[in-house]
Amino acid sequence: MNILLASSEVYPFSKTGGLADVAGALPEALVKLGHKVLVVSPWYKTLKAKNAPLWIGDEWVPFDNTIETCGVGVLEQHGVTYAFIGHHYFQRDSLYGYEDDTKRFCLFTRAIPQAGARLNFVPDIIHANDWHTGYLPMLLEHGWHMPSGYVRKPSVFTIHNVQYQGNSGLDETLSWLRLPGFLRDSYMNYFGSANAMQAALGFAHRVTTVSPTYAEEIKTPAYGYGLDGTLRHISGKLSGIVNGIDTDIWNPKTDGQIAQTYTAKSLTKKVLNKQALCERFNLDVNKPIIAVVSRLVDQKGIDVFIDGATELLWQDWNVFVQGSGEQDLEAALYSLTARNPGRFASFVGYDEALAHLVYAGADTLAIPSRFEPCGLTQLIAMRYGTIPIARATGGLADTIRANETGFLFDHLNVSGLLWATKVARDAYDNHSFWQSMMKNAMAQDFSWERSAQAYIELYKSIHG
Ligand code: ADP
């Protein structure tokens, strides 16, 4: 199958979040299954590539009632072809956060079929991701000046986070995209303004989220950020496919960033990582460690964890938190660390090498998220035999098997969290039970190959 995947960010070239990881890993996994993949993404000023893409020339892109010229750069890596769209819109210090973001990504979206055609790539499936490429399914269906091979092609749209939707004025959006006026009354219309994500929900042939439970949750007002009604309406074509992790980077058997490598068969060696972590952060090594590795933002429920921290110490846990984000949460961590020497430690900042040691050295990982489209930290923790204690939401509910590979709780408040940590703390004292739980967790398959297989099944269901 020929698959075109469009994404506003793709690892390792550009990244602000999980979308980049998916756009980086899924195409490689699809190629390994024997498919041909073209990834189209913007050529940012900050593009990180060992070898610069080869500039193959300019394309005329129908845009804003005229024609814009966009450059196309091409790169091959691990069997995947990347086409990068160049335009001064993307020559800025950050990927997003500008007033004209919707317009910028309408231009990007408009340039995608043009770039694909320039490379003589005739797709069987076009896979768009998040609001930045949300208008692509509608363009394929109704766009003027579309290259042959792209008209009415089957499309898949994946929601990585429904919170961000891409809003703009209806008329201006139609003229940016050079689409006919009757589309004013289509799915792009969200209470009188244009909404890129809702357009995608309406026009894509299939809509996915990055976990089945998140696909259910976003159909409710509490999680749908205003699109729950539309999501309920299109639920017949909505499903969830869980992300994978890079099992080469996250492998306790070969990980060069931890103090001691180990496997499920040599679990006794895991404790050397705990010792290294405790030495570095002055923690008492004889108590179990409950750790957090997270962005410190509202979504992750770290405020609840902090509120329950003192009682966690009473439950006889040592606590280690690694994260960065909101200032009040960072300040609370500094204060807890200062007040509880030997028992509570923290690292405020982003440090990938340290995260490896934490996954290897901790006994449990707390993930009290308010919502979690998929989540990676629980997958990584399980691979390192570190037991997740997580809120039963989104991908956390789908990937953690309660009391077999981790612990789940429903209510996001201090009592909900402490109930689960108490159950885990008691289980920890049952040595043989805990050992079998660690082995169960390490035996799970969270490879991208598994997810890629699920995407192929989905693509096949709409490819004629
Ligand atoms: P999100 O993308 O919402 O932040 P995920 O669970 O999908 O959450 O992915 C988080 C990723 O970021 C994981 O790989 C985790 O190890 C990493 N991470 C989060 N915070 C830090 C930090 N402070 N230092 C290093 N890595 C971090």
Side-chain angles (χ1 to χ4, degrees):
M1 220 180 262
N2 286 353
I3 301 145
L4 186 153
L5 187 130
S7 175
S8 60
E9 50 185 276
V10 52
Y11 185 82
F13 308 105
S14 54
K15 176 170 172 169
T16 69
L19 168 62
D21 291 321
V22 177
L26 175 61
E28 285 188 21
L30 291 168
V31 165
K32 280 191 193 136
L33 294 177
H35 302 278
K36 220 173 142 189
V37 188
L38 172 67
V39 177
V40 188
S41 198
W43 185 323
Y44 295 107
K45 183 176 160 188
T46 51
L47 192 85
K48 293 186 187 72
K50 276 192 203 126
N51 306 306
L54 180 69
W55 190 262
I56 59 165
D58 289 335
E59 270 301 302
W60 286 353
V61 179
F63 185 72
D64 203 9
N65 282 330
T66 175
I67 298 282
E68 275 292 318
T69 309
C70 289
V72 181
V74 180
L75 191 87
E76 294 268 338
Q77 193 166 291
H78 305 136
V80 179
T81 308
Y82 295 88
F84 294 101
I85 308 291
H87 188 273
H88 67 82
Y89 274 2
F90 307 114
Q91 295 300 302
R92 299 184 186 174
D93 293 339
S94 308
L95 270 56
Y96 320 117
Y98 302 97
E99 247 174 43
D100 58 349
D101 274 358
T102 318
K103 187 175 183 185
R104 296 166 68 219
F105 287 99
C106 279
L107 174 65
F108 169 58
T109 302
R110 239 322 181 166
I112 293 165
Q114 250 69 22
R118 171 69 177 255
L119 295 174
N120 295 323
F121 189 85
V122 181
D124 298 308
I125 289 287
I126 296 182
H127 187 162
N129 293 275
D130 269 353
W131 74 264
H132 320 90
T133 49
Y135 289 119
L136 192 53
M138 184 166 85
L139 265 184
L140 300 169
E141 209 63 26
H142 292 289
W144 290 328
H145 316 294
M146 291 292 283
S148 66
Y150 283 78
V151 178
R152 307 228 161 83
K153 275 289 149 88
S155 58
V156 172
F157 177 73
T158 298
I159 305 169
H160 298 262
N161 190 338
V162 79
Q163 193 175 359
Y164 309 105
Q165 301 173 0
N167 298 102
S168 44
L170 267 179
D171 290 333
E172 56 182 7
T173 308
L174 285 169
S175 58
W176 294 336
L177 292 165
R178 300 197 62 176
L179 282 166
F182 70 83
L183 289 168
R184 212 174 274 117
D185 297 322
S186 73
Y187 271 100
M188 76 180 293
N189 186 332
Y190 183 81
F191 295 106
S193 59
N195 182 305
M197 184 162 282
Q198 184 171 270
L201 302 183
F203 285 97
H205 294 75
R206 290 286 185 279
V207 177
T208 67
T209 62
V210 286
S211 70
T213 296
Y214 189 59
E216 290 303 314
E217 289 172 339
I218 57 178
K219 287 187 265 179
T220 66
Y223 291 84
Y225 285 90
L227 288 184
D228 46 293
T230 312
L231 285 155
R232 285 195 295 279
H233 189 66
I234 60 120
S235 62
K237 61 176 180 183
L238 172 68
S239 62
I241 298 176
V242 167
N243 290 336
I245 51 172
D246 188 322
T247 47
D248 293 329
I249 294 177
W250 300 108
N251 186 353
K253 190 178 176 184
T254 54
D255 194 332
Q257 307 196 72
I258 62 180
Q260 171 67 53
T261 55
Y262 59 97
T263 66
K265 288 200 183 105
S266 58
L267 267 178
T268 45
K269 292 189 195 161
K270 181 170 162 45
V271 76
L272 296 171
N273 293 301
K274 182 174 181 176
Q275 276 170 6
L277 185 67
C278 288
E279 260 167 40
R280 181 163 163 194
F281 290 95
N282 180 35
L283 283 173
D284 173 359
V285 75
N286 295 312
K287 292 187 192 296
I289 298 180
I290 186 165
V292 168
V293 178
S294 181
R295 288 186 293 127
L296 304 177
V297 295
D298 185 63
Q299 177 198 336
K300 302 292 179 180
I302 305 303
D303 51 324
V304 175
F305 186 85
I306 286 172
D307 286 347
T310 307
E311 280 167 270
L312 286 173
L313 300 179
W314 292 343
Q315 284 183 356
D316 211 26
W317 294 101
N318 275 346
V319 183
F320 182 79
V321 181
Q322 172 176 359
S324 62
E326 287 164 17
Q327 268 182 2
D328 53 337
L329 297 175
E330 293 187 354
L333 290 178
Y334 286 129
S335 156
L336 279 162
T337 305
R339 279 186 282 130
N340 300 286
R343 301 291 315 281
F344 190 107
S346 57
F347 175 88
V348 174
Y350 192 91
D351 182 338
E352 267 176 36
L354 175 61
H356 281 251
L357 182 63
V358 177
Y359 290 119
D363 295 289
T364 63
L365 190 82
I367 316 163
S369 300
R370 294 201 153 77
F371 70 93
E372 197 59 78
C374 178
L376 296 177
T377 60
Q378 81 279 17
L379 308 181
I380 302 169
M382 284 188 267
R383 191 152 162 82
Y384 282 74
T386 298
I387 302 300
I389 304 174
R391 167 118 193 282
T393 184
L396 298 168
D398 290 327
T399 56
I400 299 169
R401 295 216 308 274
N403 307 320
E404 282 179 46
T405 61
F407 298 94
L408 290 171
F409 61 98
D410 284 317
H411 300 291
L412 185 62
N413 50 41
V414 172
S415 1
L417 170 74
L418 290 174
W419 169 79
T421 55
K422 177 77 172 72
V423 175
R425 184 65 189 82
D426 291 343
Y428 179 83
D429 285 337
N430 182 340
H431 185 71
S432 60
F433 176 76
W434 195 262
Q435 292 289 310
S436 67
M437 212 167 173
M438 288 164 90
K439 284 184 181 151
N440 284 343
M442 292 178 87
Q444 305 300 302
D445 175 9
F446 296 125
S447 66
W448 266 105
E449 191 187 332
R450 211 180 64 141
S451 314
Q453 207 88 49
Y455 278 106
I456 289 296
E457 291 307 313
L458 182 85
Y459 297 156
K460 279 187 184 156
S461 73
I462 50 170
H463 172 51

